[in-house]
């Protein structure tokens, strides 16, 4: 029996996250983000633990805030507005900070995969290095950057990685592209929200 496709192993795809006029559903977004964290397991290298831990830690902080504010934080937009209204100092807004870093991490990951899909002859290490330089790098200090560059070098070869997403490849690629587009659209939407509300920069 063949192995299930990666997208059959996650509980929520970004394509299924509810987006209304009120905003992006927080619980569904977090569930989809947890699915994205699992993709790094396919990279098969402990160097990516730092990336996974960063994403997972931020998801946990947002989930904790949602548990305390299930109604007023039901969308990402209302979460930001609620915490801003209740916590005067920006540096004390734990959920907002966690969401900002989570979105930055998701942007980095989606960009790396997007660049790689668009450049069929490019290895993942090159694509993720470009993605890092276009996203997270400017927010990282001199101590953190080498850790991430080390992780970039540890990317698997594309010939190894893509088959791990499942077969048939053509079918999986369509799902991957849709998943990435949905994720990218959410990141772009929230980037605008963050800027408009002076919550931070994604």
């Amino acid at each position: 029996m063949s192995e299930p496709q990666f997208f059959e192993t996650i509980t929520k795809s970004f394509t299924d996250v509810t987006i209304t006029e009120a905003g992006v559903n927080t619980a569904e977004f977090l569930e989809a983000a947890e699915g994205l964290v699992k993709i790094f397991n396919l990279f098969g290298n402990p160097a990516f633990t730092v990336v996974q831990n960063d994403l997972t830690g931020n998801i946990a902080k947002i989930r904790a805030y949602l548990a305390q504010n299930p109604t007023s934080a039901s969308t990402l937009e209302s979460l930001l507005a609620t915490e801003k209204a209740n916590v005067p100092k920006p540096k004390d807004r734990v959920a907002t900070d966690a969401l900002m870093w989570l979105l930055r991490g998701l942007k980095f990951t989606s960009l790396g995969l997007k660049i790689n899909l668009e450049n069929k002859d490019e290895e993942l290490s090159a694509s993720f290095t470009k993605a890092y330089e276009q996203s997270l790098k400017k927010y990282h200090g001199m101590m953190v950057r080498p850790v991430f560059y080390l992780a970039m070098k540890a990317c698997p070869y594309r010939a190894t990685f893509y088959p791990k997403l499942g077969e048939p490849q053509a079918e999986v690629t369509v799902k991957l592209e849709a998943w990435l587009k949905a994720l990218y659209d959410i990141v772009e939407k929230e980037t605008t929200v963050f800027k408009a509300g002076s919550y931070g920069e994604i």
Side-chain angles (χ1 to χ4, degrees):
M1 189 174 175
S2 61
E3 290 288 317
Q5 295 176 2
F6 170 75
F7 294 103
E8 294 171 346
T9 68
I10 58 176
T11 58
K12 177 73 68 176
S13 170
F14 285 106
T15 58
D16 300 322
V17 174
T18 303
I19 302 174
T20 64
E21 287 185 7
V24 177
N25 184 285
T26 304
E28 293 178 8
F29 169 76
L30 293 176
E31 190 178 347
E34 285 175 330
L36 177 138
V37 173
K38 292 179 182 176
I39 207 166
F40 287 109
N41 293 335
L42 304 181
F43 279 40
N45 194 300
F48 277 92
T49 302
V50 63
V51 181
Q52 287 180 299
N53 288 347
D54 185 60
L55 293 168
T56 302
N58 288 317
I59 289 169
K61 290 175 185 176
I62 301 164
R63 181 159 275 137
Y65 189 83
L66 176 62
Q68 294 170 348
N69 306 274
T71 304
S72 58
S74 61
T75 67
L76 299 182
E77 287 75 2
S78 63
L79 178 153
L80 292 167
T82 298
E83 191 171 45
K84 186 177 185 178
N86 293 312
V87 183
K89 295 181 180 178
K91 66 181 180 67
D92 294 332
R93 295 172 193 159
V94 175
T96 299
D97 185 68
L99 179 56
M100 179 177 70
W101 280 103
L102 176 58
L103 287 165
R104 287 173 177 175
L106 295 177
K107 180 180 180 180
F108 155 68
T109 308
S110 62
L111 201 52
L113 290 169
K114 183 173 180 284
I115 291 170
N116 196 252
L117 280 173
E118 291 171 351
N119 297 275
K120 305 297 183 187
D121 297 325
E122 188 169 280
E123 289 297 343
L124 286 160
S125 57
S127 299
F128 271 86
T129 297
K130 289 176 184 174
Y132 180 67
E133 290 172 349
Q134 292 175 35
S135 57
L136 282 172
K137 182 182 177 180
K138 63 181 175 180
Y139 304 115
H140 283 165
M142 298 308 291
M143 298 293 286
V144 178
R145 287 179 186 177
V147 177
F148 272 76
Y149 274 118
L150 181 66
M152 300 313 105
K153 290 179 180 177
C155 284
Y157 289 111
R158 63 183 301 142
T160 304
F161 172 70
Y162 285 104
K164 288 183 178 180
L165 289 175
E167 299 290 347
Q169 279 284 288
E171 184 181 301
V172 174
T173 300
V174 170
K175 291 180 181 178
L176 176 60
E177 288 173 341
W179 183 72
L180 285 174
K181 184 183 184 306
L183 166 56
Y184 204 76
D185 287 348
I186 291 173
V187 171
E188 287 295 292
K189 176 178 172 57
E190 295 310 309
T191 298
T192 302
V193 170
F194 264 75
K195 188 173 182 179
S198 299
Y199 297 117
E201 184 182 357
I202 307 302

